Amino acid sequence: MSTTKPIRSALISAFHKEPLKPVLEELKKLYITIYSTGGTQTFIEQQGLDVTAVEELTSYPSILGGRVKTLHPKVFGGILARSGEDEDAQQLQEYGIPEIDLVIVDLYPFEKTLQEDASESGIIEKIDIGGIALIRAAAKNFRDTMVVSSQEQYASLATLLAEQEGSTTFEDRQLAAARAFATSARYDALINNYLLNDNEPSAFTRSYAPARQLRYGENPHQRGVFYGKLDDLFTQLNGKELSYNNLVDIDGAINIIREFDNTAFAILKHTNPCGVAVRDTVKQAYQDALAGDPVSARALSDLALSPGCTLPGAPDPPSSRVTSAASTTPRSPLCARTCGSRRSSTTAPET
C-alpha cells in the first residue's frame, strides 16, 4: 500500500488568517474541498474559494458564544477514520461523514493574551478547546491525515502542496504530527503554569520557543540549540555566531556584573573569569578587566558590560564576543541545550 496520499479535503480553523493566503492559493489550484466556520470561513470565501460550512456538515450551529463549533462526530470521524479498516469505511458511509485529509489550525493566542495582562475572563476565553482537539486528532491519525498546527508552518505547507501536487508522504505526515504534539504540549504547559498560580506543581512543566540553532554544543562535534527569544535577553555587538559554551560564559559574566550598581565589565573564558573591573567609565572598566589576564582574553573570550553601555574607542580582543546585557530582569530565562552521542546537558540559568 502506498504511503503517499492525495489531499482531497481540508478543514481550516485559524485565528491568524492573513498568513493563510499562500496556502489558499495552492488549495484553489488543486480543487480541494474546504470545510470551515465563523471568521475563517468568511476570510476564505473573500479569497474566492468555495467553502462548506461546518454547521452545514454537522446540522448544528455554533453554540455557547462560539465555544462549541467543530466538536462533533461528523468532524472528528472524518479526521480519525483509518484507511484500510472496513468497519471505519462502513461507518463513514452509514453516517454521511466525509474523510478529511488535511487539518489546518492556528490556536487562540493564549501566550500573547497573558503578556497583555488581560482580565481573568479574557484569558480563560483564549484557552482553545476545539482547535487543540482537532490538532491532536489529526496528529494521532497521521498515517492518513496531514496536520498543520501553527501559522509558522503555512509557508512550508504551501511549498509542499505546490511541489508534490497536493499529496503528502508518510514522512511528511509523521513529522507534522510530531510538531503538532509539540504545539499541544507547549500550549498546555502555558495554561498549566497560569492556573497553578503560587500552588506547588506536581510536575515541572516549562516550555520555551522558538528554537535557534547554535554554532555548536558543549563540544564541536555536538549540536547546540537555544530555546527562547535570545535577542530579548541581550545584544551581540560583534563576533561569530554564538555556541552553547558562549552562552554559558555570557550567563556567568552577566551574573557577575549584576552584583554591582556602578559600571562593570566582565571577561570570561571557558566559564572562568579572566578579569572583572568596576570603574567610572566603560572604557576604563574594560581596560582594567582586560589587564587582569590579557593573554586568555585575547585568545577567545566572552565579555559582558553593564546595560546601555558601549565601548567608544576601546579595541576589542580578537575573535571576541562583546555582549551588552539588555536587562537585569529579562522576560524569559536563558535556556540552551547541547546534544551529542556522548554527552547531553540542559541549562536554564536565570540571567
Short mmCIF file of all heavy atoms in Angstrom, two decimals, residues 5-14 17 19-36 40-41 43-45 47-52 100-105 146-148 153-168:
data_model
loop_
_atom_site.label_atom_id
_atom_site.label_comp_id
_atom_site.label_asym_id
_atom_site.label_seq_id
_atom_site.Cartn_x
_atom_site.Cartn_y
_atom_site.Cartn_z
N LYS A 5 -0.34 10.04 -0.06
CA LYS A 5 -1.79 10.22 -0.12
C LYS A 5 -2.13 11.58 -0.72
O LYS A 5 -1.56 12.60 -0.31
CB LYS A 5 -2.40 10.15 1.29
CG LYS A 5 -2.40 8.77 1.90
CD LYS A 5 -3.39 8.71 3.05
CE LYS A 5 -4.81 8.96 2.59
NZ LYS A 5 -5.80 8.86 3.69
N PRO A 6 -3.07 11.62 -1.65
CA PRO A 6 -3.53 12.91 -2.18
C PRO A 6 -4.47 13.59 -1.18
O PRO A 6 -5.23 12.92 -0.48
CB PRO A 6 -4.27 12.52 -3.46
CG PRO A 6 -4.76 11.13 -3.19
CD PRO A 6 -3.71 10.48 -2.33
N ILE A 7 -4.39 14.90 -1.12
CA ILE A 7 -5.30 15.66 -0.26
C ILE A 7 -6.52 16.04 -1.10
O ILE A 7 -6.40 16.73 -2.11
CB ILE A 7 -4.62 16.94 0.28
CG1 ILE A 7 -3.44 16.56 1.18
CG2 ILE A 7 -5.62 17.81 1.04
CD1 ILE A 7 -2.60 17.74 1.62
N ARG A 8 -7.68 15.59 -0.68
CA ARG A 8 -8.92 15.89 -1.40
C ARG A 8 -9.81 16.84 -0.61
O ARG A 8 -10.66 17.52 -1.19
CB ARG A 8 -9.67 14.60 -1.71
CG ARG A 8 -8.92 13.64 -2.62
CD ARG A 8 -9.80 12.46 -3.03
NE ARG A 8 -9.10 11.57 -3.95
CZ ARG A 8 -8.39 10.52 -3.59
NH1 ARG A 8 -8.27 10.23 -2.30
NH2 ARG A 8 -7.78 9.75 -4.47
N SER A 9 -9.61 16.89 0.71
CA SER A 9 -10.44 17.77 1.53
C SER A 9 -9.62 18.32 2.69
O SER A 9 -8.67 17.68 3.17
CB SER A 9 -11.66 17.02 2.07
OG SER A 9 -11.24 15.94 2.89
N ALA A 10 -9.99 19.52 3.15
CA ALA A 10 -9.25 20.18 4.23
C ALA A 10 -10.23 20.87 5.17
O ALA A 10 -11.22 21.45 4.73
CB ALA A 10 -8.26 21.19 3.66
N LEU A 11 -9.91 20.83 6.44
CA LEU A 11 -10.64 21.58 7.46
C LEU A 11 -9.72 22.67 7.97
O LEU A 11 -8.59 22.39 8.38
CB LEU A 11 -11.06 20.67 8.61
CG LEU A 11 -11.72 21.36 9.82
CD1 LEU A 11 -13.08 21.94 9.44
CD2 LEU A 11 -11.87 20.39 10.98
N ILE A 12 -10.19 23.91 7.95
CA ILE A 12 -9.34 25.05 8.32
C ILE A 12 -10.02 25.86 9.41
O ILE A 12 -11.18 26.27 9.28
CB ILE A 12 -9.05 25.95 7.11
CG1 ILE A 12 -8.47 25.13 5.95
CG2 ILE A 12 -8.09 27.07 7.50
CD1 ILE A 12 -8.26 25.93 4.68
N SER A 13 -9.28 26.11 10.50
CA SER A 13 -9.75 26.96 11.59
C SER A 13 -8.55 27.75 12.10
O SER A 13 -7.67 27.19 12.75
CB SER A 13 -10.36 26.11 12.72
OG SER A 13 -10.75 26.92 13.80
N ALA A 14 -8.50 29.04 11.81
CA ALA A 14 -7.30 29.82 12.10
C ALA A 14 -7.63 31.13 12.80
O ALA A 14 -8.54 31.85 12.38
CB ALA A 14 -6.53 30.11 10.82
N LYS A 17 -5.44 34.85 10.17
CA LYS A 17 -5.95 34.43 8.86
C LYS A 17 -5.13 34.95 7.68
O LYS A 17 -4.99 34.29 6.66
CB LYS A 17 -7.41 34.86 8.72
CG LYS A 17 -8.29 34.25 9.81
CD LYS A 17 -9.65 34.89 9.86
CE LYS A 17 -10.49 34.27 10.97
NZ LYS A 17 -9.91 34.46 12.32
N PRO A 19 -1.92 35.22 7.04
CA PRO A 19 -0.83 34.36 6.54
C PRO A 19 -1.31 33.13 5.77
O PRO A 19 -0.50 32.43 5.16
CB PRO A 19 -0.09 33.96 7.82
CG PRO A 19 -0.46 34.98 8.83
CD PRO A 19 -1.86 35.37 8.50
N LEU A 20 -2.62 32.85 5.79
CA LEU A 20 -3.16 31.69 5.08
C LEU A 20 -3.16 31.85 3.56
O LEU A 20 -3.28 30.87 2.83
CB LEU A 20 -4.61 31.43 5.51
CG LEU A 20 -4.87 30.52 6.71
CD1 LEU A 20 -6.34 30.55 7.07
CD2 LEU A 20 -4.40 29.10 6.45
N LYS A 21 -3.04 33.07 3.07
CA LYS A 21 -3.25 33.34 1.64
C LYS A 21 -2.44 32.45 0.71
O LYS A 21 -2.99 31.90 -0.25
CB LYS A 21 -2.98 34.82 1.35
CG LYS A 21 -4.09 35.74 1.85
CD LYS A 21 -3.82 37.19 1.46
CE LYS A 21 -4.97 38.09 1.88
NZ LYS A 21 -4.74 39.51 1.53
N PRO A 22 -1.12 32.26 0.92
CA PRO A 22 -0.36 31.37 0.00
C PRO A 22 -0.89 29.94 0.01
O PRO A 22 -0.91 29.27 -1.04
CB PRO A 22 1.07 31.44 0.55
CG PRO A 22 1.13 32.72 1.32
CD PRO A 22 -0.23 32.90 1.91
N VAL A 23 -1.33 29.44 1.17
CA VAL A 23 -1.89 28.10 1.26
C VAL A 23 -3.20 28.02 0.48
O VAL A 23 -3.44 27.07 -0.28
CB VAL A 23 -2.11 27.70 2.73
CG1 VAL A 23 -2.84 26.36 2.82
CG2 VAL A 23 -0.78 27.62 3.47
N LEU A 24 -4.04 29.02 0.66
CA LEU A 24 -5.33 29.04 -0.02
C LEU A 24 -5.16 29.08 -1.54
O LEU A 24 -5.95 28.46 -2.28
CB LEU A 24 -6.16 30.23 0.46
CG LEU A 24 -6.56 30.21 1.94
CD1 LEU A 24 -7.30 31.48 2.32
CD2 LEU A 24 -7.39 28.97 2.27
N GLU A 25 -4.15 29.78 -2.01
CA GLU A 25 -3.89 29.83 -3.46
C GLU A 25 -3.59 28.44 -4.00
O GLU A 25 -4.07 28.05 -5.08
CB GLU A 25 -2.72 30.77 -3.74
CG GLU A 25 -3.04 32.25 -3.50
CD GLU A 25 -1.82 33.14 -3.67
OE1 GLU A 25 -0.76 32.60 -4.08
OE2 GLU A 25 -1.92 34.35 -3.42
N GLU A 26 -2.81 27.67 -3.24
CA GLU A 26 -2.48 26.30 -3.68
C GLU A 26 -3.70 25.39 -3.58
O GLU A 26 -3.93 24.55 -4.47
CB GLU A 26 -1.32 25.75 -2.84
CG GLU A 26 0.00 26.49 -3.00
CD GLU A 26 0.48 26.55 -4.44
OE1 GLU A 26 0.26 25.55 -5.18
OE2 GLU A 26 1.07 27.57 -4.82
N LEU A 27 -4.48 25.52 -2.52
CA LEU A 27 -5.68 24.70 -2.37
C LEU A 27 -6.67 24.97 -3.51
O LEU A 27 -7.33 24.04 -4.01
CB LEU A 27 -6.35 24.97 -1.02
CG LEU A 27 -5.56 24.57 0.23
CD1 LEU A 27 -6.34 24.95 1.48
CD2 LEU A 27 -5.25 23.07 0.24
N LYS A 28 -6.74 26.22 -3.92
CA LYS A 28 -7.65 26.59 -5.02
C LYS A 28 -7.21 25.94 -6.33
O LYS A 28 -8.04 25.41 -7.09
CB LYS A 28 -7.70 28.10 -5.16
CG LYS A 28 -8.72 28.60 -6.16
CD LYS A 28 -8.79 30.13 -6.17
CE LYS A 28 -9.85 30.62 -7.14
NZ LYS A 28 -9.93 32.12 -7.14
N LYS A 29 -5.91 25.94 -6.59
CA LYS A 29 -5.39 25.33 -7.82
C LYS A 29 -5.68 23.84 -7.87
O LYS A 29 -5.87 23.26 -8.94
CB LYS A 29 -3.87 25.56 -7.92
CG LYS A 29 -3.44 27.00 -8.08
CD LYS A 29 -1.92 27.09 -8.06
CE LYS A 29 -1.43 28.52 -8.06
NZ LYS A 29 0.05 28.60 -7.93
N LEU A 30 -5.70 23.22 -6.69
CA LEU A 30 -5.85 21.77 -6.61
C LEU A 30 -7.31 21.33 -6.46
O LEU A 30 -7.58 20.12 -6.37
CB LEU A 30 -5.03 21.25 -5.41
CG LEU A 30 -3.51 21.43 -5.52
CD1 LEU A 30 -2.85 21.27 -4.16
CD2 LEU A 30 -2.92 20.44 -6.53
N TYR A 31 -8.23 22.27 -6.43
CA TYR A 31 -9.67 21.98 -6.32
C TYR A 31 -9.98 21.13 -5.09
O TYR A 31 -10.77 20.19 -5.13
CB TYR A 31 -10.18 21.27 -7.58
CG TYR A 31 -9.97 22.08 -8.84
CD1 TYR A 31 -8.91 21.81 -9.69
CD2 TYR A 31 -10.84 23.13 -9.16
CE1 TYR A 31 -8.71 22.57 -10.85
CE2 TYR A 31 -10.65 23.90 -10.32
CZ TYR A 31 -9.58 23.60 -11.15
OH TYR A 31 -9.38 24.36 -12.28
N ILE A 32 -9.35 21.47 -3.98
CA ILE A 32 -9.55 20.73 -2.73
C ILE A 32 -10.79 21.25 -2.02
O ILE A 32 -10.98 22.46 -1.88
CB ILE A 32 -8.30 20.84 -1.83
CG1 ILE A 32 -7.14 20.06 -2.47
CG2 ILE A 32 -8.58 20.35 -0.42
CD1 ILE A 32 -5.82 20.23 -1.78
N THR A 33 -11.64 20.34 -1.56
CA THR A 33 -12.84 20.71 -0.81
C THR A 33 -12.44 21.28 0.55
O THR A 33 -11.59 20.69 1.25
CB THR A 33 -13.74 19.48 -0.59
OG1 THR A 33 -14.13 18.96 -1.87
CG2 THR A 33 -14.99 19.85 0.21
N ILE A 34 -13.03 22.40 0.92
CA ILE A 34 -12.67 23.08 2.17
C ILE A 34 -13.86 23.16 3.10
O ILE A 34 -14.95 23.56 2.70
CB ILE A 34 -12.12 24.49 1.89
CG1 ILE A 34 -10.83 24.41 1.05
CG2 ILE A 34 -11.85 25.23 3.20
CD1 ILE A 34 -10.29 25.76 0.64
N TYR A 35 -13.64 22.78 4.36
CA TYR A 35 -14.62 22.94 5.42
C TYR A 35 -14.09 23.98 6.40
O TYR A 35 -12.91 23.98 6.75
CB TYR A 35 -14.85 21.62 6.16
CG TYR A 35 -15.36 20.51 5.30
CD1 TYR A 35 -14.48 19.59 4.70
CD2 TYR A 35 -16.73 20.35 5.06
CE1 TYR A 35 -14.95 18.55 3.91
CE2 TYR A 35 -17.20 19.31 4.25
CZ TYR A 35 -16.31 18.43 3.69
OH TYR A 35 -16.77 17.41 2.89
N SER A 36 -14.97 24.86 6.85
CA SER A 36 -14.55 25.87 7.81
C SER A 36 -15.77 26.46 8.50
O SER A 36 -16.92 26.08 8.21
CB SER A 36 -13.73 26.97 7.11
OG SER A 36 -13.11 27.80 8.07
N THR A 40 -12.99 32.36 9.93
CA THR A 40 -12.11 31.70 8.96
C THR A 40 -12.85 31.41 7.66
O THR A 40 -12.32 31.63 6.56
CB THR A 40 -11.54 30.39 9.54
OG1 THR A 40 -10.92 30.65 10.80
CG2 THR A 40 -10.52 29.79 8.59
N GLN A 41 -14.07 30.94 7.77
CA GLN A 41 -14.87 30.68 6.58
C GLN A 41 -15.07 31.96 5.77
O GLN A 41 -14.90 31.96 4.54
CB GLN A 41 -16.24 30.11 6.98
CG GLN A 41 -17.18 29.89 5.79
CD GLN A 41 -18.57 29.48 6.21
OE1 GLN A 41 -18.80 29.10 7.37
NE2 GLN A 41 -19.52 29.54 5.30
N PHE A 43 -13.21 34.65 5.71
CA PHE A 43 -11.94 35.05 5.11
C PHE A 43 -11.62 34.23 3.87
O PHE A 43 -11.21 34.76 2.83
CB PHE A 43 -10.81 34.92 6.13
CG PHE A 43 -9.45 35.25 5.58
CD1 PHE A 43 -9.04 36.57 5.46
CD2 PHE A 43 -8.58 34.25 5.17
CE1 PHE A 43 -7.79 36.89 4.95
CE2 PHE A 43 -7.34 34.55 4.65
CZ PHE A 43 -6.94 35.88 4.54
N ILE A 44 -11.82 32.92 3.95
CA ILE A 44 -11.52 32.04 2.82
C ILE A 44 -12.42 32.38 1.63
O ILE A 44 -11.97 32.45 0.48
CB ILE A 44 -11.68 30.57 3.22
CG1 ILE A 44 -10.66 30.20 4.30
CG2 ILE A 44 -11.51 29.65 2.00
CD1 ILE A 44 -10.87 28.83 4.90
N GLU A 45 -13.69 32.63 1.90
CA GLU A 45 -14.62 32.99 0.83
C GLU A 45 -14.24 34.31 0.20
O GLU A 45 -14.39 34.51 -1.03
CB GLU A 45 -16.04 33.04 1.38
CG GLU A 45 -16.59 31.66 1.73
CD GLU A 45 -17.93 31.70 2.44
OE1 GLU A 45 -18.25 32.76 3.04
OE2 GLU A 45 -18.65 30.68 2.42
N GLN A 47 -11.34 35.23 -0.38
CA GLN A 47 -10.21 34.95 -1.27
C GLN A 47 -10.66 34.25 -2.54
O GLN A 47 -9.84 33.89 -3.38
CB GLN A 47 -9.16 34.10 -0.56
CG GLN A 47 -8.72 34.60 0.81
CD GLN A 47 -8.35 36.07 0.81
OE1 GLN A 47 -7.54 36.52 0.01
NE2 GLN A 47 -8.96 36.83 1.73
N GLY A 48 -11.98 34.06 -2.69
CA GLY A 48 -12.52 33.48 -3.92
C GLY A 48 -12.63 31.97 -3.92
O GLY A 48 -12.76 31.37 -4.99
N LEU A 49 -12.61 31.34 -2.75
CA LEU A 49 -12.72 29.88 -2.68
C LEU A 49 -14.10 29.50 -2.16
O LEU A 49 -14.69 30.20 -1.32
CB LEU A 49 -11.66 29.29 -1.76
CG LEU A 49 -10.22 29.22 -2.30
CD1 LEU A 49 -9.53 30.57 -2.17
CD2 LEU A 49 -9.42 28.15 -1.56
N ASP A 50 -14.60 28.37 -2.62
CA ASP A 50 -15.85 27.82 -2.11
C ASP A 50 -15.58 27.11 -0.78
O ASP A 50 -14.56 26.42 -0.63
CB ASP A 50 -16.46 26.83 -3.10
CG ASP A 50 -16.92 27.51 -4.39
OD1 ASP A 50 -17.31 28.69 -4.32
OD2 ASP A 50 -16.85 26.86 -5.46
N VAL A 51 -16.49 27.28 0.16
CA VAL A 51 -16.33 26.68 1.48
C VAL A 51 -17.63 25.99 1.90
O VAL A 51 -18.71 26.57 1.74
CB VAL A 51 -15.96 27.74 2.54
CG1 VAL A 51 -15.77 27.08 3.91
CG2 VAL A 51 -14.70 28.49 2.14
N THR A 52 -17.51 24.80 2.43
CA THR A 52 -18.64 24.13 3.06
C THR A 52 -18.60 24.44 4.54
O THR A 52 -17.61 24.14 5.22
CB THR A 52 -18.59 22.61 2.85
OG1 THR A 52 -18.62 22.32 1.45
CG2 THR A 52 -19.75 21.92 3.55
N ILE A 100 -11.48 13.63 5.93
CA ILE A 100 -10.75 14.91 5.96
C ILE A 100 -9.26 14.58 5.94
O ILE A 100 -8.74 13.95 6.86
CB ILE A 100 -11.13 15.75 7.18
CG1 ILE A 100 -12.62 16.11 7.11
CG2 ILE A 100 -10.26 17.00 7.27
CD1 ILE A 100 -13.15 16.84 8.33
N ASP A 101 -8.59 15.01 4.89
CA ASP A 101 -7.18 14.65 4.67
C ASP A 101 -6.19 15.65 5.24
O ASP A 101 -5.03 15.31 5.48
CB ASP A 101 -6.91 14.50 3.17
CG ASP A 101 -7.88 13.55 2.50
OD1 ASP A 101 -7.99 12.40 2.96
OD2 ASP A 101 -8.55 13.97 1.54
N LEU A 102 -6.63 16.89 5.42
CA LEU A 102 -5.73 17.96 5.88
C LEU A 102 -6.46 18.79 6.92
O LEU A 102 -7.60 19.22 6.70
CB LEU A 102 -5.32 18.84 4.71
CG LEU A 102 -4.58 20.15 5.02
CD1 LEU A 102 -3.23 19.87 5.68
CD2 LEU A 102 -4.39 20.99 3.75
N VAL A 103 -5.80 19.01 8.07
CA VAL A 103 -6.35 19.86 9.13
C VAL A 103 -5.37 21.00 9.38
O VAL A 103 -4.19 20.78 9.68
CB VAL A 103 -6.58 19.06 10.42
CG1 VAL A 103 -7.00 19.99 11.56
CG2 VAL A 103 -7.63 17.97 10.20
N ILE A 104 -5.86 22.22 9.23
CA ILE A 104 -5.04 23.42 9.45
C ILE A 104 -5.66 24.19 10.61
O ILE A 104 -6.81 24.63 10.53
CB ILE A 104 -4.98 24.32 8.20
CG1 ILE A 104 -4.43 23.55 7.01
CG2 ILE A 104 -4.14 25.55 8.48
CD1 ILE A 104 -4.48 24.33 5.70
N VAL A 105 -4.91 24.33 11.69
CA VAL A 105 -5.42 25.02 12.88
C VAL A 105 -4.37 26.01 13.37
O VAL A 105 -3.18 25.69 13.45
CB VAL A 105 -5.75 24.03 14.01
CG1 VAL A 105 -6.16 24.78 15.28
CG2 VAL A 105 -6.87 23.08 13.58
N MET A 146 -2.93 14.78 7.37
CA MET A 146 -1.86 15.78 7.49
C MET A 146 -2.36 16.90 8.40
O MET A 146 -3.50 17.37 8.25
CB MET A 146 -1.53 16.35 6.10
CG MET A 146 -0.47 17.43 6.10
SD MET A 146 1.18 16.75 6.44
CE MET A 146 2.18 18.23 6.31
N VAL A 147 -1.53 17.32 9.34
CA VAL A 147 -1.92 18.37 10.27
C VAL A 147 -0.93 19.52 10.22
O VAL A 147 0.29 19.32 10.14
CB VAL A 147 -2.04 17.82 11.72
CG1 VAL A 147 -0.72 17.25 12.21
CG2 VAL A 147 -2.53 18.92 12.67
N VAL A 148 -1.44 20.74 10.26
CA VAL A 148 -0.63 21.96 10.34
C VAL A 148 -1.11 22.70 11.58
O VAL A 148 -2.28 23.08 11.66
CB VAL A 148 -0.79 22.82 9.08
CG1 VAL A 148 -0.07 24.15 9.24
CG2 VAL A 148 -0.26 22.08 7.86
N GLN A 153 3.95 27.31 10.13
CA GLN A 153 4.09 26.19 9.20
C GLN A 153 3.38 26.42 7.87
O GLN A 153 3.43 25.57 6.98
CB GLN A 153 3.55 24.91 9.86
CG GLN A 153 4.28 24.53 11.14
CD GLN A 153 3.54 23.50 11.95
OE1 GLN A 153 2.71 22.76 11.43
NE2 GLN A 153 3.82 23.43 13.25
N TYR A 154 2.71 27.55 7.71
CA TYR A 154 1.94 27.80 6.49
C TYR A 154 2.83 27.83 5.24
O TYR A 154 2.47 27.27 4.20
CB TYR A 154 1.20 29.13 6.58
CG TYR A 154 0.04 29.16 7.56
CD1 TYR A 154 -0.59 30.36 7.88
CD2 TYR A 154 -0.44 28.00 8.17
CE1 TYR A 154 -1.65 30.41 8.76
CE2 TYR A 154 -1.49 28.04 9.06
CZ TYR A 154 -2.10 29.25 9.35
OH TYR A 154 -3.15 29.29 10.23
N ALA A 155 3.97 28.50 5.35
CA ALA A 155 4.84 28.65 4.17
C ALA A 155 5.34 27.30 3.68
O ALA A 155 5.33 27.01 2.47
CB ALA A 155 6.02 29.58 4.50
N SER A 156 5.77 26.44 4.61
CA SER A 156 6.27 25.12 4.20
C SER A 156 5.13 24.27 3.64
O SER A 156 5.35 23.47 2.72
CB SER A 156 6.93 24.41 5.38
OG SER A 156 6.02 24.24 6.45
N LEU A 157 3.92 24.45 4.16
CA LEU A 157 2.77 23.71 3.61
C LEU A 157 2.48 24.16 2.18
O LEU A 157 2.24 23.31 1.30
CB LEU A 157 1.53 23.92 4.48
CG LEU A 157 0.23 23.31 3.92
CD1 LEU A 157 0.34 21.80 3.81
CD2 LEU A 157 -0.97 23.71 4.77
N ALA A 158 2.51 25.46 1.93
CA ALA A 158 2.26 25.97 0.58
C ALA A 158 3.28 25.41 -0.40
O ALA A 158 2.94 25.01 -1.52
CB ALA A 158 2.29 27.49 0.58
N THR A 159 4.54 25.35 0.02
CA THR A 159 5.60 24.79 -0.82
C THR A 159 5.36 23.31 -1.09
O THR A 159 5.50 22.83 -2.22
CB THR A 159 6.97 24.99 -0.15
OG1 THR A 159 7.20 26.38 0.04
CG2 THR A 159 8.08 24.41 -1.01
N LEU A 160 5.00 22.57 -0.04
CA LEU A 160 4.74 21.14 -0.18
C LEU A 160 3.58 20.89 -1.15
O LEU A 160 3.67 20.01 -2.02
CB LEU A 160 4.44 20.54 1.19
CG LEU A 160 4.19 19.03 1.28
CD1 LEU A 160 4.67 18.51 2.63
CD2 LEU A 160 2.71 18.70 1.12
N LEU A 161 2.51 21.65 -1.01
CA LEU A 161 1.35 21.48 -1.90
C LEU A 161 1.72 21.72 -3.36
O LEU A 161 1.28 21.00 -4.25
CB LEU A 161 0.23 22.43 -1.48
CG LEU A 161 -0.46 22.14 -0.13
CD1 LEU A 161 -1.38 23.29 0.26
CD2 LEU A 161 -1.22 20.83 -0.19
N ALA A 162 2.56 22.74 -3.57
CA ALA A 162 2.96 23.07 -4.94
C ALA A 162 3.90 22.03 -5.52
O ALA A 162 3.73 21.57 -6.66
CB ALA A 162 3.61 24.45 -4.97
N GLU A 163 4.90 21.63 -4.74
CA GLU A 163 5.93 20.73 -5.25
C GLU A 163 5.44 19.29 -5.37
O GLU A 163 5.91 18.54 -6.24
CB GLU A 163 7.17 20.79 -4.34
CG GLU A 163 7.89 22.14 -4.40
CD GLU A 163 9.12 22.16 -3.50
OE1 GLU A 163 9.30 21.20 -2.71
OE2 GLU A 163 9.88 23.14 -3.58
N GLN A 164 4.51 18.88 -4.51
CA GLN A 164 4.05 17.49 -4.50
C GLN A 164 2.63 17.37 -5.04
O GLN A 164 1.99 16.32 -4.88
CB GLN A 164 4.16 16.90 -3.09
CG GLN A 164 5.60 16.87 -2.60
CD GLN A 164 5.76 16.30 -1.19
OE1 GLN A 164 6.82 16.41 -0.59
NE2 GLN A 164 4.74 15.68 -0.64
N GLU A 165 2.18 18.44 -5.68
CA GLU A 165 0.87 18.44 -6.35
C GLU A 165 -0.26 17.97 -5.45
O GLU A 165 -1.11 17.16 -5.82
CB GLU A 165 0.94 17.59 -7.63
CG GLU A 165 1.96 18.11 -8.62
CD GLU A 165 2.03 17.27 -9.88
OE1 GLU A 165 1.57 16.10 -9.84
OE2 GLU A 165 2.52 17.77 -10.90
N GLY A 166 -0.24 18.48 -4.21
CA GLY A 166 -1.33 18.19 -3.29
C GLY A 166 -1.29 16.84 -2.61
O GLY A 166 -2.29 16.41 -2.03
N SER A 167 -0.14 16.16 -2.65
CA SER A 167 0.00 14.87 -1.98
C SER A 167 0.99 14.99 -0.83
O SER A 167 1.86 15.86 -0.83
CB SER A 167 0.48 13.80 -2.95
OG SER A 167 -0.50 13.53 -3.94
N THR A 168 0.86 14.10 0.14
CA THR A 168 1.79 14.06 1.27
C THR A 168 2.33 12.65 1.43
O THR A 168 1.63 11.66 1.15
CB THR A 168 1.11 14.48 2.59
OG1 THR A 168 0.05 13.56 2.90
CG2 THR A 168 0.54 15.88 2.48
#
